[in-house]
Each structure stands twice: as C-alpha cells, then as structure tokens.
Amino acid sequence: MKDAIFEVNNVSFSYEEANEKAMDQVSLSVPEGAFYAVLGQNGSGKSTLAKLLNGLYLPTSGQVLVCGMDTADEKNTWDIRQNAGMVFQNPDNQIVATIVEDDVAFGLENIGVAPTQMPGRIEQALLDVGMLEFRERAPHTLSGGQKQRIAIAGILAMEPRAIIFDEATAMLDPQGRKEVFAAVQKLNREKGITVLWITHFMEEAAQCQHVYIMEDGRIVMEGAPEEVFSLPEKMQALRLDAPAAARLAHRLREAGMPLKAGLLHMEETAKEVARACKLNSKA
Ligand SMILES: Nc1ncnc2c1ncn2[C@@H]1O[C@H](COP(=O)(O)OP(=O)(O)O)[C@@H](O)[C@H]1O
Ligand SMILES: [Mg+2]
C-alpha cells in the first residue's frame, strides 16, 4: 500500500468555549494519489477536520500526520502548508488581486518562488484548471465556477502533493459545481494530486473512491461509495439521502426488479433497468 498523505490517529478536539467535542476520536487515512470524500451535514465537524489537517488547529488528543509530518511540531508547519493546500467555499474570499494571473502569482510571492520561475508556474496552473485564456481578465467578471478554478490554480502553482477542498462547490450553481468537480478530477487523474473532497453533496461523494461520513464530530460510516450508499435505511438514520439513483434502485429491487448491487449513478441505473425489463419481456 502507498504511503498515507493524511493520517489521523484517534484525534479529539474541543473549541475553548464549547462543552461538546467538535472532533471525537476520529481516525482516517488518505493514501497518496487517492480521491477521498468526507461527507456530513452542517455542523458535523468537516471544517474542523480540514483545519486539523493543515495544522491550523492542533488536536486536544491524538495525532495528525501530513506526509508523515506531525502537525503538532511547529517546525513542520511551513512544509505541511506547502504539501497540503486548501480550497474553501467562497471564491470571493480567496481571490485577492484584480487580474487573474496576479492572483495566481500572489501565493508564489508569499512562499518566495524566484521571479524567473513564476510565469511558467502560473501558466501551467491556469492551463491545468482550463483557465489560461482568462489570464488577463478581472476576477469579478468571471462566473463562480471560473473564480473557484482560479482559486485552485493559486494553490496548484505552489505544487502541493495534496489539496483539501472544504465544500468548494457549495456556493456554486449546478453548472459551476460540475465544472469545478471535473477540473479537480482531472488534477487527480493527470497530475496525481491527492484529493480530500469535503462536501454535503451525496452525488459528489458518490464519485470519489472512498467516503468517510461524519456526524457530531465522529466518523459514523466509511467505505467505497457502492457499499456505503447502498444502505438507504442507514443513510436515512444519519439524516443523509442516498444518491437519487441508489434510492430508485433500492425501491425497484423492493418491488421485485432484479437489479445488480452497487448502483449509484443515473445513467448506469437506467441501463440496468432497461436490461431487467428486456429480460422480463422475454420471459
Ligand atoms: N470557532 C468555533 N468556536 C466554537 N465552536 C465552533 C467553532 N467552529 C465550529 N464550531 C462548532 O463545532 C462543530 C463543528 O463545526 P464545523 O467543523 O464547522 O462543521 P461543518 O464544517 O461540518 O459544518 C459545530 O457544532 C460548530 O458549532
Ligand atoms: Mg464547514
């Protein structure tokens, strides 16, 4: 098995004023090159986890390792932030410059990249998120999805090994959501960047390799999407809906239609239903 990029060992965390733990004995592991999801309702602890993962918060107990480095050791903070970038919900809070390429340059200046290296890195990062032709535009003239891709380019230019996305599509329209998710899938596939995709959208989690489901600061379920989402009753108990296709498949099975297990996506489900109907009409 490949080395873990993120390794969370039995971590608890409390905010100073709060009585309840925001993170309660959480353990998880994300291998290098993987595309994993953390799924949970509002207030379940997702952003707290994200901030523990890049050392913004330190565990009350337990240990967080990023690329093998303990976040509790201050010597590691710089390396950890460079290895694991973060993209947040609101693109407007992440974009600082009035020209797209200046915005991507901003992070590079901060980490002390040589000026001669900057143009090449900026160009590559914008190319990787499909935004190169917008390099001279003013960010405020762009759509939400485009702005979010600029924010991603800003992180990418720093050449991290992993990126944590904390509800990076939550403020976007369906089109923007799709385009950002597709851009991130491409980064994972073609650049091998490890992705931790934090979301409350089931349909997105269903497209990741492995899902951790959080509730009240705990991980209450985990597994491949095909396993996790094929248990609609369990999902309901967690106040989460399984993806629409999985619910449909479940109902149809209950009604006696012999559908294969692990259906999550509409297109695949439609084909499977058609197959079952054809079999039935021949019988
Ligand atoms: N700065 C804070 N101070 C005190 N409590 C907080 C703070 N941030 C979050 N919380 C509490 O911690 C819990 C987890 O919040 P959060 O990690 O933001 O969840 P999510 O990102 O899943 O919505 C919630 O109960 C929330 O109210
Ligand atoms: Mg959050």
Side-chain angles (χ1 to χ4, degrees), residues 39 68 108 145 190 209 258 260 281:
L39 175 67
L108 293 183
E190 292 176 9
Q209 295 165 346
K260 70 176 185 189
S281 65

Side-chain angles (χ1 to χ4, degrees), residues 53-73:
L53 283 173
N54 85 341
L56 216 54
Y57 297 157
L58 296 180
T60 316
S61 64
Q63 189 186 43
V64 177
L65 300 175
V66 180
C67 305
M69 296 178 281
D70 193 330
T71 59
D73 187 342

